[in-house]
Amino acid sequence: FTNIISKEGSNTWRVYCNDTSGNLNSSSVTFVKDTIYPNINIIYPANNTNSTNINLDVNYTASDTNLKTCWYSNDTANTTIACGTNITTITWNEGMHNVTVYVNDSANNVNSSSVTFRIDATAPIWNNLRNFTSQVNISFSQSITANDSGVGIGSYWLNQTSYFTINRTAGLITNSTNLSRIEIHYLNISANDTLGNINSKIFYINI
């Protein structure tokens, strides 16, 4: 028999045969047709997420009438998990991660869902932070910058703005009032990245 289309799910086919004397016999077979792929969807975190959480969970949903096995790849390694069990026991290294969760059913239809995210829990590092010496009644202008290998620098700021101000984007420090007295100004400068990791240091400007 050819060109017979079975239905999704359980099928029972029976074939009958008789002879010229009317003797009848039959044989049957029962089978399951499953061409539908399981549903799989990573629901957290969102793709291309940046996070400071080194214990970030990866949550997913998986469903199928004949669900069989679930597993995931963490950058390179494959790990089998119980279907419906989220990925909650990994301590992620700093940097980019690619996680793919796979699911198959009893007919070995395989489906997957992937997510890419970055872990950045490290504060920026100062490039040229130092103490400065300047002169009375001379304008002060110095650039102090930091580097962030993760998501990038967010902004700079100073704790003291009576005498000095800083460009929050470029890190350029200038005097905001006339420096007419001989004195030492102690300043607390901070830089953060776009995830809020902060590095603060104290330096002075000797006038």
Side-chain angles (χ1 to χ4, degrees):
F1 296 93
T2 60
N3 299 322
I4 300 176
I5 300 175
S6 57
K7 66 178 182 179
E8 285 288 326
S10 179
N11 293 263
T12 298
W13 288 3
R14 182 177 296 275
V15 178
Y16 298 87
C17 184
N18 68 349
D19 58 20
T20 56
S21 299
N23 298 304
L24 179 67
N25 204 351
S26 66
S27 181
S28 65
V29 61
T30 298
F31 60 92
V32 174
K33 178 181 179 180
D34 184 357
T35 61
I36 299 174
Y37 287 81
N39 293 314
I40 177 74
N41 185 40
I42 293 177
I43 57 176
Y44 182 84
N47 197 39
N48 297 319
T49 287
N50 295 313
S51 176
T52 61
N53 184 7
I54 62 173
N55 297 311
L56 185 71
D57 293 345
V58 177
N59 299 338
Y60 70 96
T61 59
S63 62
D64 189 87
T65 303
N66 303 299
L67 199 63
K68 183 180 180 182
T69 307
C70 293
W71 69 99
Y72 69 90
S73 65
N74 166 19
D75 300 317
T76 56
N78 289 335
T79 303
T80 300
I81 52 176
C83 290
T85 300
N86 294 318
I87 303 169
T88 60
T89 59
I90 296 178
T91 300
W92 305 101
N93 295 325
E94 296 253 338
M96 297 296 297
H97 295 278
N98 300 290
V99 175
T100 301
V101 181
Y102 300 87
V103 61
N104 72 350
D105 58 21
S106 56
N108 205 33
N109 297 307
V110 179
N111 204 355
S112 64
S113 180
S114 299
V115 65
T116 297
F117 57 90
R118 181 196 297 272
I119 300 298
D120 181 1
T122 301
I125 298 173
W126 294 107
N127 293 324
N128 58 342
L129 181 60
R130 65 190 189 279
N131 299 315
F132 297 94
T133 298
S134 187
Q135 298 179 4
V136 173
N137 296 323
I138 298 296
S139 295
F140 182 86
S141 180
Q142 291 289 340
S143 180
I144 297 178
T145 60
N147 180 65
D148 187 80
S149 60
V151 295
I153 297 296
S155 62
Y156 301 92
W157 67 95
L158 293 171
N159 71 318
Q160 192 261 73
T161 57
S162 299
Y163 292 93
F164 300 94
T165 186
I166 189 170
N167 183 295
R168 293 182 65 87
T169 302
L172 178 65
I173 299 174
T174 57
N175 56 296
S176 56
T177 188
N178 185 36
L179 301 174
S180 58
R181 296 188 302 175
I182 297 175
E183 59 183 319
I184 298 177
H185 299 271
Y186 289 91
L187 305 176
N188 190 328
I189 186 173
S190 300
N192 69 355
D193 59 22
T194 56
L195 288 176
N197 298 304
I198 301 174
N199 189 350
S200 297
K201 293 293 183 181
I202 296 175
F203 72 103
Y204 67 78
I205 301 174
N206 186 6
I207 305 300

